[in-house]
Amino acid sequence: MTPPRRLPYPAGAMAIEPHLPALRRYARAAMGSSRLGDAVLAGCLPRLAREARDRDGLLRGLIAALDGGSLARMAAPGDLPGAIARLPPLPRHALLLTLLEQLPADHAALLLGVTPGEVAEALAQARGALAPLRPARILIIGDGRGTLAQLVQGLGHAVCAQVANEDAAWQAAARTRPDLVLAEAALPDGGCGLAAVQRIAANDAVPVVLVGEDALAAHGFPLLRRPWRAEALRHAIGRALRGRHGRAG
């Protein structure tokens, strides 16, 4: 295996050498690209060596360099790394500082020059934007032929349970705690999928997507109409998940 290429840094920067792996990791995650992250870090190392005195100073300087250039616009869209790179600066750095660097929210707020409340709002914004790109655990109610389950799995999500009636749906929701419920309006046993999801949603704020006719839209749940196409299902799941993760708290 070829060892990773060493980043160039000035002779006076030896004090920050122990921090270089973490700085490189942060830069790559923020840019959504190893190549672009290394380029930004290499460009700002001389200034970091001159000005930074501790880890917080290194992170502040690197964040300023990441936000001061235009390289982030070169990140590839569509995948999760590209989506993180294309977040607005505050949500992007709030997410990376708390998850990647494992800093408390108040520490991240101090580094970013904002309040803890603003960090909380930024994290909610980031989660909402990224939710459709993360695999979800989905409870399917109905789908006797397995068509929906195949589409769900083809989109990269997981079917945590598949049930055919209201009572089984209630029990499965309590047992598996799904990220989303996908329900046919008419169930194989003659039951009502709408009644099942209303019962579940009354006790848990889980997102729901209904499969059925236009009349069901009056009940306020996202609606997937037949025929079931993967792109339509992807959009319906994404909208439902954004609704959940976009709320602060």
Side-chain angles (χ1 to χ4, degrees):
M1 180 182 295
T2 303
R5 180 176 61 87
R6 288 178 61 86
L7 288 169
Y9 56 93
M14 293 304 294
I16 69 172
E17 186 173 10
H19 299 281
L20 284 178
L23 294 173
R24 171 182 254 172
R25 179 187 63 197
Y26 190 98
R28 289 178 169 188
M31 298 301 295
S33 161
S34 298
R35 178 178 59 85
L36 296 178
D38 284 356
V40 173
L41 180 56
C44 71
L45 274 178
R47 182 165 55 82
L48 293 180
R50 291 193 307 270
E51 300 175 6
R53 295 294 180 266
D54 54 21
R55 180 195 183 200
D56 283 4
L58 291 171
L59 284 171
R60 284 194 188 96
L62 177 58
I63 288 170
L66 290 164
D67 292 345
S70 60
L71 287 176
R73 292 196 293 270
M74 297 172 61
D79 60 356
L80 185 58
I84 292 173
R86 289 171 180 269
L87 287 171
L90 182 55
R92 176 169 42 132
H93 294 303
L95 183 73
L96 294 178
L97 288 172
T98 55
L99 293 185
L100 189 63
E101 298 301 317
Q102 298 186 338
L103 297 181
D106 56 349
H107 192 163
L110 184 65
L111 277 174
L112 296 171
V114 299
T115 67
E118 288 174 305
V119 166
E121 292 178 2
L123 287 172
Q125 181 181 349
R127 293 187 189 110
L130 301 177
L133 296 174
R134 296 199 301 270
R137 297 171 61 256
I138 297 178
L139 166 62
I140 297 180
I141 306 174
D143 188 28
R145 296 183 178 180
T147 308
L148 282 173
Q150 291 177 5
L151 287 174
V152 163
Q153 292 167 338
L155 292 171
H157 300 295
V159 177
C160 63
Q162 183 174 352
V163 297
N165 59 64
E166 182 178 342
D167 287 340
W170 170 257
Q171 294 169 9
R175 183 179 71 254
T176 65
R177 305 288 294 176
D179 298 312
L180 182 139
V181 176
L182 178 61
E184 283 193 274
L187 299 180
D189 68 348
C192 178
L194 175 60
V197 298
Q198 287 176 325
R199 183 180 176 189
I200 293 169
N203 291 275
D204 185 11
V206 60
V208 170
V209 174
L210 276 177
V211 177
E213 307 304 327
D214 288 352
L216 292 170
H219 295 277
F221 297 115
L223 183 63
L224 180 67
R225 299 171 177 85
R226 292 180 176 86
W228 305 332
R229 301 186 186 280
E231 187 65 13
L233 180 59
R234 183 178 70 81
H235 283 300
I237 290 173
R239 287 194 301 271
L241 291 174
R242 277 194 295 271
R244 176 176 216 178
H245 294 282
R247 293 192 293 271

